[in-house]
């Protein structure tokens, strides 16, 4: 992301200095219909650095798809975790994911 130019920084500082009541929102329409909203769409679970020992051919396969092989490992493991939940407890939901994350933190 490019750094804001001086003019933009000044504009941001002026807006940040205003009180909420002084900001004019008349041109921005109020959202009244939330039927299309998605809960948790932007939720990203916290990451924890770990060290794993993987077979060389597995790492080669993951890296063969380009950058982001660690993200691919995370996606594959999450898919396996959700599949495991689906088999053992029915359809996974937010509560089962939260329970799994809590269990993982406990070790």
């Amino acid at each position: 992301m490019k750094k804001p130019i001086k003019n933009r920084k000044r504009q941001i500082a002026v807006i940040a200095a205003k009180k909420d009541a002084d900001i004019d929102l008349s041109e921005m329409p109020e959202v009244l219909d939330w039927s299309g909203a998605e809960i948790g769409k932007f939720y990203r679970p916290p990451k924890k650095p770990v060290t794993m020992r993987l077979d060389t051919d597995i790492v080669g396969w993951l890296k063969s798809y380009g950058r982001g092989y660690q993200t691919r490992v995370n996606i594959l493991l999450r898919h396996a975790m959700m599949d495991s939940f689906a088999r053992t407890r029915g359809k996974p939901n937010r509560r089962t994911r939260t329970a799994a994350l809590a269990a993982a933190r406990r070790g």
Side-chain angles (χ1 to χ4, degrees), residues 2-78:
K2 292 184 179 181
K3 293 183 179 179
I5 56 177
K6 291 180 183 179
N7 186 32
R8 177 72 68 174
K9 286 183 180 181
R10 187 172 33 81
Q11 290 173 345
I12 292 170
V14 168
I15 293 171
K18 290 185 176 184
K19 295 180 181 176
D20 287 347
D22 296 336
I23 298 174
D24 179 24
L25 300 175
S26 62
E27 294 180 9
M28 189 165 78
E30 185 177 346
V31 177
L32 299 175
D33 180 21
W34 290 95
S35 62
E38 295 181 41
I39 296 174
K41 181 176 181 180
F42 298 107
Y43 171 73
R44 293 179 64 181
K47 305 286 185 188
K48 179 178 181 174
V50 297
T51 301
M52 294 177 61
R53 299 185 63 81
L54 302 172
D55 295 338
T56 306
D57 57 337
I58 300 292
V59 175
W61 173 70
L62 290 165
K63 287 186 174 184
S64 71
Y65 289 96
R67 296 181 61 185
Y69 78 95
Q70 291 176 336
T71 301
R72 264 187 296 287
V73 169
N74 194 63
I75 290 168
L76 291 168
L77 290 172
R78 179 167 301 282

